[in-house]
Amino acid sequence: MNKEVKVADNAYWVGYVDDRKVPFHRLTLEKGTTYNSYLLKTEKATVIDTVDISFGKVFIDKLSEYIDPTEIKYIVINHVEPDHSGGLPALANKAKDAVIVTTELGAKELKEMYRLHDREFLIIKDGDKLDIGGKQLIFFETPYLHTEETMITYCIEDKTLYPCDIFSSHVATYELFNDLATEDITEDFEVYYQLIMHPHRPYVQDMIEKITNLEIEIIAPSHGYILRDNPQKYIDIYDRMSKPATEEKRALILYSTMTGNTRNIAKELRKGLEEKAIDTKVINIKKNVDIDEIKQEIENSDAIFFGSSTRYADMVGGLEEVLKELARMDLSDKLGIAFGSYGWSGEAVEVINDYLKDSNLKVVDSSLIIKSTGMDDLKFPIRIKFSPGEAESQDLKESAYVVGDLLLA
């Protein structure tokens, strides 16, 4: 047996150190990384997260030094991305009776990714507990840190938090523990936060609130150093770096409407923006508008929403007169968002979006949102059929929240 790596009483590191230059999220990890997996060797032996899909066999060999995999009762998957769940197929093949513990969305994704439709899953929700025989785990859902299905696991007896990607660092380290590091790890820790977590900073604040009352002596993430020396320091770094900007931001909503549906969309967007403390002004662009006055409002704003109803595949009112001015303005430091209502086709929204792309506004579309946040459930530009109902109103608020978060970055 290789030298065992003990994290806590009957808790062991069974991961893999990848000391190559690792391609990851369109980057190259020059310092490599670690894939941290943990075995809790209790009466109901439990594995928390696995390793990258490339190292499934090595993972099983490592795990087998500690336990016969057939004895494993639970496999906790905090996050389904293949650098964490990739060892699951190999492990599930050995631990044939093990129950897979994850969120509802996590279960759906794991079943599809690894053809595990016939396996037993335990679906968790916020605050659920699991007795694994000598230790008790408690789970918290942490959506969008950094994908929607993510959760974190806390061992009550060991006072150890297993947060998967949260509190990680991309470093290939054989020391594994931050108190054994030969250099200050703070920069690597903060760089990881900026690259992976910062686009989701509002959810970081939600996560911190959930763990505030936990007594945490060890943070055992899924990449990089295990934080057993002053773990609160790293929680504080996340708290500080995820706080919203204090500088006041302004949004402007310009719209033209026929029957009031687009006005109703504008109202919902305004509610969401104001809940994010974004100072928001709404202007109905009718046929006769003072272009110079509107241009000044645009200059004074950080994000501008342009909306119209669709009539005969085109915009209504005086909005197009405003849009024609955008290409002659320097708007490079501003966000531009197209929205509108329609009954049959909704071309007006796309025409607006074309005008925005012809300017130097930073256009908020679905591609930008996915690349910056990973969220794929909200669609930009914003198109609502007729007037927004309850579900559409909630989506509009969520869309406004996302734009607000981009402004507060």
Side-chain angles (χ1 to χ4, degrees):
M1 175 184 288
N2 294 334
K3 181 182 178 182
E4 67 181 29
V5 180
K6 193 170 186 179
V7 177
D9 185 36
N10 291 322
Y12 303 92
W13 178 87
V14 288
Y16 181 80
V17 178
D18 190 353
D19 54 11
R20 305 169 301 154
K21 292 184 178 181
V22 181
F24 185 82
H25 284 241
R26 294 183 61 81
L27 303 169
T28 299
L29 305 179
E30 296 291 337
K31 294 185 177 181
T33 193
T34 58
Y35 304 110
N36 297 336
S37 175
Y38 304 94
L39 168 66
L40 278 56
K41 200 172 179 182
T42 57
E43 294 171 20
K44 300 175 183 178
T46 299
V47 172
I48 299 179
D49 292 318
T50 65
V51 299
D52 185 81
I53 195 168
S54 304
F55 306 109
K57 183 182 184 305
V58 177
F59 169 61
I60 295 300
D61 291 344
K62 176 75 173 178
L63 186 63
S64 299
E65 295 174 0
Y66 291 86
I67 190 171
D68 181 344
T70 63
E71 298 176 16
I72 294 168
K73 302 302 181 185
Y74 294 106
I75 305 168
V76 176
I77 301 294
N78 285 315
H79 172 39
V80 305
E81 207 168 11
D83 57 326
H84 308 291
S85 68
L88 178 59
L91 179 56
N93 186 54
K94 296 288 186 180
K96 295 186 182 298
D97 296 325
V99 176
I100 302 168
V101 183
T102 190
T103 61
E104 183 176 4
L105 180 56
K108 291 178 181 177
E109 294 180 347
L110 290 170
K111 288 175 183 178
E112 292 299 325
M113 288 171 65
Y114 302 124
R115 302 183 185 277
L116 295 171
H117 298 86
D118 295 332
R119 292 302 294 252
E120 182 180 354
F121 282 78
L122 176 62
I123 305 303
I124 67 92
K125 294 187 180 298
D126 254 346
D128 283 355
K129 294 180 180 179
L130 177 64
D131 188 337
I132 59 172
K135 296 182 190 286
Q136 193 170 39
L137 305 179
I138 182 168
F139 306 99
F140 299 94
E141 294 180 88
T142 54
Y144 299 112
L145 294 181
H146 58 110
T147 51
E148 188 177 359
E149 87 296 340
T150 306
M151 69 181 196
I152 59 178
T153 302
Y154 175 73
C155 181
I156 296 173
E157 288 75 14
D158 297 340
K159 301 175 183 177
T160 300
L161 182 68
Y162 298 94
C164 201
D165 271 331
I166 305 167
F167 303 118
S168 284
S169 54
H170 275 312
V171 180
T173 170
Y174 291 91
E175 291 85 10
L176 287 172
F177 297 94
N178 68 321
D179 55 314
L180 300 180
T182 56
E183 58 185 28
D184 187 354
I185 72 167
T186 304
E187 182 178 356
D188 290 317
F189 183 84
E190 292 184 350
V191 166
Y192 182 97
Y193 168 85
Q194 289 285 0
L195 290 175
I196 307 298
M197 294 297 160
H198 192 63
H200 312 274
R201 60 204 162 281
Y203 301 98
V204 172
Q205 287 293 308
D206 293 342
M207 177 274 299
I208 289 173
E209 184 176 347
K210 289 182 180 184
I211 68 172
T212 293
N213 294 323
L214 301 179
E215 190 175 351
I216 299 172
E217 293 185 355
I218 300 170
I219 298 176
S222 287
H223 291 298
Y225 287 99
I226 299 167
L227 308 170
R228 65 183 181 187
D229 177 37
N230 193 11
Q232 187 61 45
K233 168 187 173 181
Y234 301 95
I235 297 172
D236 291 343
I237 289 173
Y238 265 50
D239 187 30
R240 170 177 56 80
M241 297 182 75
S242 64
K243 287 283 177 62
T246 56
E247 179 186 354
E248 185 176 74
K249 299 292 183 178
R250 298 185 72 244
L252 175 65
I253 302 176
L254 304 173
Y255 74 93
S256 295
T257 189
M258 285 192 302
T259 62
N261 292 339
T262 304
R263 179 181 64 245
N264 293 337
I265 296 173
K267 287 181 178 179
E268 296 299 332
L269 291 170
R270 180 177 190 168
K271 287 180 187 177
L273 289 163
E274 290 182 341
E275 287 180 17
K276 284 289 184 179
I278 307 297
D279 182 24
T280 305
K281 188 170 186 175
V282 179
I283 300 176
N284 184 353
I285 303 293
K286 299 179 181 179
K287 285 285 187 181
N288 299 314
V289 297
D290 185 332
I291 290 293
D292 290 334
E293 181 180 328
I294 298 300
K295 288 172 64 176
Q296 189 59 56
E297 293 287 354
I298 291 173
E299 293 281 4
N300 293 338
S301 301
D302 301 292
I304 307 97
F305 292 75
F306 301 86
S308 175
S309 306
T310 297
R311 181 174 185 268
Y312 301 136
D314 206 350
M315 291 176 280
V316 303
L319 186 66
E320 189 163 18
E321 189 178 352
V322 175
L323 292 167
K324 289 177 179 177
E325 295 293 320
L326 300 182
R328 293 189 282 270
M329 302 172 67
D330 182 8
L331 306 172
S332 56
D333 61 342
K334 305 180 189 303
L335 302 178
I337 307 96
F339 74 95
S341 65
Y342 69 103
W344 293 271
S345 51
E347 292 93 341
V349 178
E350 299 303 327
V351 175
I352 293 170
N353 210 47
D354 287 342
Y355 271 110
L356 303 189
K357 290 179 179 178
D358 285 339
S359 73
N360 64 352
L361 281 161
K362 184 176 183 180
V363 180
V364 178
D365 57 15
S366 292
S367 176
L368 175 70
I369 296 302
I370 290 170
K371 289 173 183 174
S372 59
T373 71
M375 300 171 69
D376 63 359
D377 56 329
L378 298 174
K379 305 303 180 185
F380 289 84
I382 300 165
R383 301 167 74 249
I384 302 292
K385 194 166 187 178
F386 298 115
S387 189
E390 184 176 344
E392 290 85 0
S393 293
Q394 184 58 40
D395 286 345
L396 287 168
K397 286 179 68 175
E398 293 289 341
S399 297
Y401 292 164
V402 169
V403 175
D405 291 336
L406 290 173
L407 288 178
L408 297 171

